[in-house]
């Protein structure tokens, strides 16, 4: 390259950078003045076109080469921070000079501020790549010539269209959508959805456009209406929906200054303001905005389903004759179809019957587009008179009682407005957000997730995932009652007051109206009222205390209730968020279940906790590991019954193996082991008791980035601390097995060094906590036996929080017996069993509470 051409190119880069920046500013100013999506998206594409043409000319690219826009840029739409997808189309593989020119040009495009995605291919290479990769095939579908050899580009288009197989493309895109949906848990109702990729997002609309192009059915929603694939009203709805989602994505890009498509809590209030949405009816502007978003996403998924059905009928026209089911329905191409357009008008019960048929007929894979459309248009026929009809109530109950298709039926009824018409209370929770920092879905979607989990307990293919649940549900008569309880357990959220009690009233009304027996009604109502009880006992009470088990057994009363509550609790916790459930919570619930079951079967308190069996099992394990009989006696003589109540037989045997040779070791003994990658690491600390030991341990774990999920603190008769911790790494940065030795070494050394406890870093608050702060709560009360005090606290999670609590307790000379740490997303609900110090003095107790509140403030 000579000096003149180099100077020309540098000048071209400077000018392109200036024009591009000025053009971007002008486009944004025009959008802010008059928000029009098409003007912005097409305007940015044209601005980039002009920039590319200028640089192409400055680089004196040879004839016979074409610059092609593909993907969204090829479609003529560029969001503020979207990548610019380019194809450098060549007649033959590039020689070294052309390679150098292309590399230089690509570098210049990056220099001026374009985010590029580019490929260099010949026509043959394009076709080979498209045949092997559906993503490349899709990108080429919207290819558009920017500059260069028009004949070469026309040849690519001609050969691409000849190679296009619409039926193969249709199947591939449907599979791709199913996989994408699965990544987002098959719901558009996540509290922080992705406006592009989540179900109901822009990608759903784009996919409909791609299939229409591939099958030559049209290039716009108006074209599809002309082909009678959608109605004119639906075409208008699609244009408005698309425009709203485009506004959301544009505003997100402007707010964040990057290609951000996630509607995070950080952005929701700002998005609402930017879109002109205001707070109404006691709801924040962000909540109003998100409900509009969910309604939009719901319409997208409805119209997506309808159009895909209609595409299928055109692309696969001959799928056999209709099979008549009854006067109202038939089977067409493995889809349930209404026999007449006015079926739902003439036979309102068919609004429920269609879902029952979907459950009962194995060959059905869905409903035809006209059936879905008619279902949506006739949903308002479900009114008070409809709900009062005995036949309709029987139909609804039949749907709940079927052996298959429960979840699909209820998702479908929710999707097409049938559920909210049949259960008036349901209407109030559709799209309702939950700002508790641990639910990941709206209320209605959380309930459907719980319903799905209960259903999975009954399915053989999930038995490996839920072995105990599967065994219990098999022996549970009329397990469909659990579906009813699941439907109502959170239905009263957002009304104010205790949602469990309010939901209990709704559940009772439903059961009476649907003629459930008195026994079944009482079970469902009790489950709704007490659906939080088991998790509270398991995670906030000392379940090694026989009195706690006795109180819980008295609450449940019968083994049938216990089993039902256990199944519902398990399903409920797993349905809140993928982050909330872990192996430790599973163990806590399981231990409580079995201890209560034994007590309900007549066992004594000691038998219910399995103390005798536990010691005998621990001895057998010690013998298995080669320790002779009696080897445990020296250590066990120093341990009181409380130790054996709070530890499992396996833990007792592990402690015995580790401490067999050193029951009076002057040096700290630290051992760690991996329970499993889901549950975490168990750490045992055995050392002559020392002041502030718990504070030092929490400081150590906090500095290493671990979260303590459980702590059992025990002091032996001869003055040794025997403490056990269950810890987890919330960041999952390394395998637990790789850091066990590090924990043992570092903690042993730290305990041997005198000095004040080292405070861990307080760290940064998560973005969720910043936008939805939690007011700390502290409760310190004496237990029912009057021997201990129970400290309960609720606060926003942050690094160093447990250290602060431990420090306050140590300052006042308060002894800690157990710590139950429950982290629910960004919220902690911790419970501590305490004694000693100043707790018996009311003034001092209030002082401790206030100091804790001060420390919990973020």
């Amino acid at each position: 390259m000579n000096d003149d051409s180099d100077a020309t190119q540098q000048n071209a880069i400077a000018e392109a950078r200036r024009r591009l920046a000025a053009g971007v500013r002008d486009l944004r100013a025009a959008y802010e003045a008059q928000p029009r999506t098409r003007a912005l998206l097409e305007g940015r594409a044209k601005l980039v076109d002009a920039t590319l043409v200028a640089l192409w000319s400055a680089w004196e690219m040879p004839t016979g080469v074409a610059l092609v826009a593909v993907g969204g840029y090829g479609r003529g739409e560029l969001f503020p921070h979207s990548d610019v997808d380019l194809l450098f189309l060549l007649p033959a593989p590039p020689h070294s000079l052309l390679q150098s020119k292309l590399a230089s040009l690509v570098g210049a495009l990056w220099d001026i501020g374009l985010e590029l995605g580019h490929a260099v291919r010949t026509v043959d290479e394009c076709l080979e790549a498209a045949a092997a990769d559906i993503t490349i095939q899709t990108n080429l579908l919207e290819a558009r010539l920017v500059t260069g050899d028009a004949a070469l580009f026309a040849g690519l288009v001609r050969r691409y269209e000849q190679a296009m197989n619409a039926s193969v493309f249709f199947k591939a895109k449907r599979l791709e959508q199913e996989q994408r949906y699965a990544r987002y848990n098959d719901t558009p109702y996540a509290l922080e959805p992705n406006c592009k990729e989540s179900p109901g997002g822009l990608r759903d609309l784009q996919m409909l456009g791609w299939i229409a192009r591939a099958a030559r059915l049209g290039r716009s929603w108006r074209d599809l209406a002309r082909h009678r694939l959608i109605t004119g009203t639906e075409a208008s709805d699609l244009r408005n929906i698309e425009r709203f989602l485009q506004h959301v994505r544009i505003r997100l890009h402007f707010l964040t200054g990057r290609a951000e498509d996630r509607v995070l809590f950080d952005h929701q209030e700002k998005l609402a303001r930017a879109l002109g949405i205001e707070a109404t009816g006691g709801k924040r502007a962000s909540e109003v905005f998100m409900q509009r978003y969910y309604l939009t996403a719901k319409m997208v998924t409805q119209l997506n389903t309808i159009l895909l059905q209609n595409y299928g009928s055109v692309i696969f026209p001959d799928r056999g004759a209709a099979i008549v089911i009854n006067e109202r329905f038939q089977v067409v191409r493995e889809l349930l179809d209404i026999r007449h357009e006015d079926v739902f008008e003439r036979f309102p019960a068919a609004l429920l019957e269609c879902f029952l048929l979907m459950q009962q007929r194995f060959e059905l894979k869905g409903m035809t587009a006209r059936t879905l459309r008619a279902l949506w248009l006739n949903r308002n026929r479900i009114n008070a008179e409809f709900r009062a009809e005995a036949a309709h109530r029987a139909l609804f109950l039949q749907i709940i009682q079927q052996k298959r298709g429960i979840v699909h039926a209820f998702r479908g009824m929710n999707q097409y407005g049938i559920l909210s018409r049949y259960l008036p209370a349901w209407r109030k929770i559709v799209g309702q957000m939950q700002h508790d920092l641990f639910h990941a879905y709206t209320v209605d979607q959380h309930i459907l997730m719980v319903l799905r989990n209960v259903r999975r307990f009954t399915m053989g293919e999930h038995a490996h995932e839920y072995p105990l649940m599967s065994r219990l549900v098999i022996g549970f008569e009329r397990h469909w009652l659990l579906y009813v309880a699941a439907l109502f357990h959170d239905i009263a959220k957002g009304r104010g007051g205790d949602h469990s009690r309010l939901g209990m009233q709704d559940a009772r009304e439903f059961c009476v109206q649907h003629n459930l027996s008195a026994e079944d009604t009482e079970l469902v109502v009790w489950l709704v009222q007490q659906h939080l009880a088991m998790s509270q006992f398991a995670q906030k009470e000392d379940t090694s205390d026989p009195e706690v088990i006795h109180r819980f057994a008295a609450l449940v009363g019968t083994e049938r209730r216990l089993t039902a509550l256990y199944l519902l609790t398990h399903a409920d916790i797993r349905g809140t968020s993928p982050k909330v459930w872990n192996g430790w919570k599973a163990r806590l619930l399981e231990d409580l279940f079995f201890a209560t079951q034994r007590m309900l079967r007549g066992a004594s308190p000691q038998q219910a906790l399995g103390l005798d069996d536990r010691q005998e099992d621990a001895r057998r394990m010690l013998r298995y590991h080669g320790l002779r009989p009696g080897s445990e006696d020296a250590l066990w003589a120093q341990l009181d019954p409380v130790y054996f109540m709070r530890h499992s037989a396996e833990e007792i045997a592990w402690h015995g193996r580790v401490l067999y040779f050193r029951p009076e070791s002057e040096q700290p003994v630290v051992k760690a082991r991996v329970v499993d990658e889901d549950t975490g690491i168990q750490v045992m600390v055995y050392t002559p008791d020392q002041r502030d030991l718990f504070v030092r341990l929490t400081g150590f774990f906090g500095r290493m980035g671990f979260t303590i999920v459980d702590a059992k603190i025990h002091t032996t008769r001869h003055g040794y601390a025997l403490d056990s911790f269950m810890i987890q790494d919330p960041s999952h940065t390394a395998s637990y097995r790789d850091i066990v030795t590090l924990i043992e070494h570092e903690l042993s050394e730290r305990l041997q060094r005198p000095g004040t406890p080292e405070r861990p870093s307080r760290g940064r608050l998560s973005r969720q906590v910043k936008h939805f702060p939690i007011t700390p709560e502290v409760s310190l009360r004496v237990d029912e036996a009057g021997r201990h005090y129970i400290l309960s606290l609720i606060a926003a999670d942050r690094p160093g929080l447990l250290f602060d609590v431990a420090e306050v307790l140590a300052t006042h000379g308060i002894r800690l017996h157990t710590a139950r740490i429950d982290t629910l997303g960004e919220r902690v609900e911790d419970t501590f069993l305490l004694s000693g110090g100043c707790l018996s003095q009311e003034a001092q107790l209030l002082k401790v509470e206030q100091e804790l509140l001060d420390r919990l403030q973020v």
Side-chain angles (χ1 to χ4, degrees), residues 487-632:
L487 278 176
F488 285 92
H489 82 283
D490 274 354
I491 203 166
K493 276 197 168 178
R495 294 190 209 167
D498 184 344
H499 77 278
S500 299
R501 289 192 171 277
L502 294 171
M504 175 185 74
Q505 296 166 11
D506 292 337
R508 185 180 296 281
E509 183 180 349
F510 174 89
C511 292
V512 171
Q513 289 175 348
H514 290 76
N515 294 320
L516 270 67
S517 69
E519 177 189 347
D520 289 347
T521 297
E522 289 310 311
L523 176 63
V524 169
V525 170
W526 182 85
L527 284 171
V528 173
Q529 181 185 6
Q530 301 294 343
H531 73 271
L532 298 173
M534 192 168 194
S535 63
Q536 289 172 344
F537 267 86
Q539 298 175 62
K540 296 183 180 182
E541 300 265 8
D542 180 9
T543 52
S544 64
D545 184 346
E547 180 58 32
V548 171
I549 303 301
H550 179 75
R551 282 195 290 113
F552 185 64
L555 175 69
V556 296
T558 68
E559 197 168 331
R560 179 168 171 80
R561 278 187 172 185
L562 172 65
T563 301
L565 185 58
Y566 181 38
L567 291 165
L568 181 61
T569 302
H570 192 113
D572 188 15
I573 296 176
R574 292 189 82 131
T576 56
S577 164
K579 298 178 181 179
V580 169
W581 182 259
N582 57 46
W584 182 241
K585 285 188 173 69
R587 180 176 167 181
L588 292 174
L589 290 171
E590 187 175 319
D591 288 348
L592 177 59
F593 171 77
F594 282 121
T596 309
Q597 184 185 63
R598 287 190 289 268
M599 187 167 282
L600 289 171
R601 290 178 177 179
S604 68
Q606 184 159 328
Q607 289 171 331
L609 291 170
L611 295 188
D612 294 337
D613 292 341
R614 199 173 300 178
Q615 289 187 346
E616 196 55 42
D617 288 343
R619 285 192 176 96
R620 278 196 295 269
M621 293 177 194
L622 290 170
R623 302 296 88 80
Y624 175 80
H625 287 280
L627 274 72
R628 66 180 183 274
S631 58
E632 67 278 3

Side-chain angles (χ1 to χ4, degrees), residues 311-326:
Y311 286 164
S313 65
V314 173
I315 295 171
F316 307 99
D318 185 16
R319 297 294 293 272
I323 301 171
V324 175
I325 297 176
N326 55 33

Side-chain angles (χ1 to χ4, degrees), residues 44-55:
R44 184 164 184 255
K46 290 175 181 177
L47 176 64
V48 172
D49 283 354
T51 302
L52 293 174
V53 169
L55 290 178

Side-chain angles (χ1 to χ4, degrees), residues 582-588 591 646-648 650-652 654-655 670-685 694 697-698 700-702 705-713 722-730 736 739-740 743 747 802 816-823 830 832:
N582 57 46
W584 182 241
K585 285 188 173 69
R587 180 176 167 181
L588 292 174
D591 288 348
R646 290 180 180 156
H647 293 83
S648 68
E650 201 279 330
E651 289 170 335
I652 294 167
W654 179 49
H655 294 172
V670 178
K671 292 298 289 183
R673 62 177 183 171
V674 178
V675 179
D676 60 57
E677 289 295 331
D678 183 39
T679 303
I681 299 175
Q682 192 170 28
V683 181
M684 183 200 75
V685 177
F694 185 67
L697 292 170
T698 57
F700 171 81
F701 291 129
F706 288 106
T707 295
I708 299 172
V709 296
D710 187 69
K712 297 170 185 173
I713 312 302
L722 178 49
D723 299 345
S724 181
F725 297 85
M726 186 68 69
I727 62 174
Q728 293 176 341
D729 176 8
Y736 287 142
I739 52 182
V740 163
I743 291 171
L747 183 51
L802 190 55
L816 174 68
H817 297 276
T818 63
R820 188 61 53 80
I821 314 301
D822 190 20
T823 303
D830 298 347
F832 306 85

Side-chain angles (χ1 to χ4, degrees), residues 336-355:
L336 184 67
D337 185 45
I338 50 176
R339 295 189 63 194
H340 310 285
E341 296 293 339
D342 62 350
V343 160
F344 296 126
E345 182 179 351
R346 292 169 53 205
F347 306 101
L351 289 163
L352 296 177
E353 183 190 10
C354 60
F355 293 101

